[in-house]
Amino acid sequence: MKAIEIKPNIYWVGAVDWTVRDFHGYVTPRGTTYNNYLITDEQITLIDTVKQDFSQVTIDNIRSLVDPSRIVNVVINHIEPDHSSSIEKIMALAPDANIYITDKGKKGLDRHFNTSKWEFKIIKTGDILNIGKYNLLFLETPMLHWPDSMMTYVKEAKLLISQDAFGQHIATSARFDDEFIECASRAELKDAVIDYYANILMPFGQLIKTKIAEIKKLDLEIDMIAPDHGVIWRKNPGDILQRYLDMANGKASLSITVIYDTMWHSTELMILPIMQGIKDEGVGCKVIKLRATPMSVAIKEFWKSRGCLVGSPTLNNLLFPTVAEFLTHLRGLRPKNRIIGAFGSYGWGGGAVKEAYEEFKKMKLEPFEPGLQVMYKPSLEDETRCYEFGREFAKKTKDYHVKFLE
Ligand code: FEO
């Protein structure tokens, strides 16, 4: 895609990655984009680079506007390789450019590249760089989502360049939210936002709230938010800020996701009566089989619902490996504000359900106890127990959900 002017003399010069389906282990069925921005002010300023596979794409986009050797400033908002790994090529073309970066960002770049010949300017929150008509205000956002992370606010353009925050993994010819909604749908964009938040930003809800409050306190006028992935928010940027606040505050739908795996279908057979119990209590329910679903999709579906039931057969007195993997992954994301329970079949000693609750305890999620175990295969009597288990879990989920209603 060619460079696009998003504000006067501010251009998107990034790359669309139509084919990536595995983004460091995270499934990206829609592909992604690596967004970076060039400001052709008195001092030509590049904000972020792109993944190194696409170096030539961004260099060509820059060259369509200016000779890259004229770049005076390179701002690195975030050093993860999908945004910084073209830096060597950029600096080879503009060796005298100053790199504006946080202290932790510089330390990270030093570990990845030979930076000895590069000129760095270490910035802190509140520092302002005048590049001509525009002033750039830097805002550190440590641990959103790396220690080095920061954002750049272009004051006179009312533009917040937000690095990973507010992004989505979408490859599209649409550069803006309203264009994407026009050619795809609002629902697809919403799903991509949730997917991104659940898999990348879920651990940082409290930090997100603090940072958004800080931005509001600074009274910055924002009429466009340009993240480093996906579409740029220009229609109503306040919406995406509010959506992030809602997610950080634990917003979820009153629904239940059942996430499970099975060996000889016994755990699977428990699900139908459990679902019927949930449905008869008036709560929606979705079922995810782990061996048939990418991990990042299971995480997204977990995050959408207020309640989750985890089903696992016992294997060698432990959780079934795919379920253990899911719970380990989930624990790393530090989920909050969800109620969770476990069920499963066993042959003799059992152990999976007990281990699942130990994991829930580590995560400090609201546990629904006791869990439900069935020996070998559910009998008619067991099916009734499953139905009651589902029904009771749905009741508790409704009660728990009330806490989050305004
Ligand atoms: Fe898109 Fe944290 O990198």
Side-chain angles (χ1 to χ4, degrees):
M1 302 292 300
K2 289 183 179 168
I4 290 171
E5 191 171 34
I6 62 167
K7 286 275 186 178
N9 299 319
I10 304 178
Y11 297 84
W12 174 89
V13 288
V16 180
D17 189 345
W18 298 97
T19 60
V20 64
R21 293 293 179 268
D22 180 342
F23 188 92
H24 63 45
Y26 168 164
V27 170
T28 46
R30 302 178 178 99
T32 193
T33 60
Y34 312 106
N35 299 335
N36 60 338
Y37 303 93
L38 186 76
I39 309 180
T40 57
D41 206 340
E42 288 161 29
Q43 293 180 18
I44 308 285
T45 299
L46 179 68
I47 300 182
D48 289 323
T49 75
V50 295
K51 188 178 174 184
Q52 59 185 348
D53 315 37
F54 295 86
S55 301
Q56 199 53 49
V57 176
T58 195
I59 289 168
D60 288 347
N61 276 338
I62 294 167
R63 195 167 271 133
S64 72
L65 300 163
V66 296
D67 185 324
S69 66
R70 292 180 54 209
I71 295 172
V72 175
N73 308 305
V74 177
V75 176
I76 296 291
N77 277 334
H78 179 30
I79 62 161
E80 195 164 3
D82 49 330
H83 308 297
S84 72
S85 55
S86 294
I87 184 82
E88 276 181 323
K89 293 209 170 126
I90 297 291
M91 294 308 287
L93 294 167
D96 296 328
N98 293 312
I99 299 176
Y100 287 80
I101 193 165
T102 60
D103 182 49
K104 289 210 166 68
K106 174 170 186 308
K107 286 180 177 138
L109 278 195
D110 289 344
R111 301 289 299 176
H112 285 87
F113 304 100
N114 177 359
T115 60
S116 57
K117 294 203 169 76
W118 300 347
E119 188 63 39
F120 286 94
K121 306 281 184 197
I122 304 301
I123 60 89
K124 289 195 169 56
T125 290
D127 288 351
I128 292 175
L129 171 65
N130 175 265
I131 58 170
K133 290 190 178 62
Y134 286 127
N135 284 290
L136 311 185
L137 166 68
F138 301 116
L139 302 165
E140 292 170 276
T141 57
M143 294 319 298
L144 283 179
H145 69 124
W146 275 25
D148 59 279
S149 300
M150 69 168 189
M151 298 182 186
T152 301
Y153 175 67
V154 189
K155 187 166 176 272
E156 293 72 15
K158 301 179 186 171
L159 167 68
L160 182 66
I161 298 177
S162 61
Q163 47 98 16
D164 277 332
F166 314 119
Q168 337 87 47
H169 286 306
I170 295 177
T172 169
S173 61
R175 290 280 64 78
F176 299 99
D177 52 345
D178 50 305
E179 285 178 354
F180 183 80
I181 289 166
E182 185 74 24
C183 70
S185 70
R186 190 178 297 279
E188 188 172 352
L189 185 54
K190 184 176 172 195
D191 187 74
V193 167
I194 294 173
D195 182 77
Y196 190 93
Y197 184 98
N199 282 284
I200 298 173
L201 297 168
M202 193 197 296
F204 309 117
Q206 192 51 48
L207 283 171
I208 286 166
K209 285 195 274 185
T210 307
K211 194 48 67 178
I212 291 179
E214 200 180 305
I215 290 171
K216 285 188 172 165
K217 205 167 160 192
L218 287 169
D219 217 15
L220 305 180
E221 278 186 272
I222 297 172
D223 74 7
M224 185 182 284
I225 297 178
D228 276 2
H229 296 288
V231 297
I232 295 165
W233 303 95
R234 74 172 173 190
K235 185 72 179 168
N236 185 356
D239 267 5
I240 187 68
L241 285 171
Q242 187 57 48
R243 217 177 297 167
Y244 262 54
L245 272 181
D246 288 346
M247 287 191 283
N249 281 322
K251 188 172 182 178
S253 67
L254 175 53
S255 63
I256 290 166
T257 302
V258 179
I259 297 177
Y260 82 104
D261 222 322
T262 195
M263 289 170 68
W264 289 103
H265 302 293
S266 297
T267 298
E268 196 165 57
L269 285 168
M270 297 172 76
I271 292 175
L272 268 184
I274 287 174
M275 279 181 69
Q276 193 60 51
I278 293 170
K279 184 172 166 48
D280 288 353
E281 202 51 46
V283 178
C285 183
K286 182 180 283 181
V287 175
I288 302 285
K289 181 179 178 179
L290 286 166
R291 289 216 304 291
T293 312
M295 186 59 66
S296 50
V297 174
I299 293 289
K300 174 184 69 175
E301 296 302 334
F302 163 87
W303 182 244
K304 282 180 177 174
S305 295
R306 181 63 67 205
C308 177
L309 284 175
V310 174
S312 175
T314 291
L315 179 65
N316 300 326
N317 299 112
L318 296 174
L319 283 162
F320 194 71
T322 51
V323 181
E325 184 192 355
F326 168 72
L327 291 176
T328 300
H329 201 87
L330 187 63
R331 180 150 60 89
L333 291 165
R334 303 201 291 274
K336 287 188 177 58
N337 306 316
R338 301 295 186 275
I339 182 168
I340 195 162
F343 65 94
S345 70
Y346 69 103
W348 42 101
V353 168
K354 179 169 169 277
E355 203 192 350
Y357 278 93
E358 281 164 11
E359 287 294 320
F360 301 160
K361 201 168 156 193
K362 287 183 207 160
M363 287 188 255
K364 301 191 177 84
L365 291 171
E366 181 81 12
F368 170 73
E369 292 179 293
L372 180 64
Q373 294 190 87
V374 160
M375 193 175 189
Y376 286 123
K377 193 177 171 189
S379 62
L380 281 178
E381 201 175 281
D382 289 328
E383 284 182 9
T384 305
R385 289 167 62 218
C386 288
Y387 174 85
E388 292 303 337
F389 178 77
R391 191 150 195 166
E392 199 51 36
F393 182 69
K395 275 187 203 159
K396 287 285 187 303
T397 301
K398 285 196 284 190
D399 293 346
Y400 184 65
H401 187 67
V402 170
K403 281 172 55 172
F404 300 91
L405 300 177
E406 287 174 353

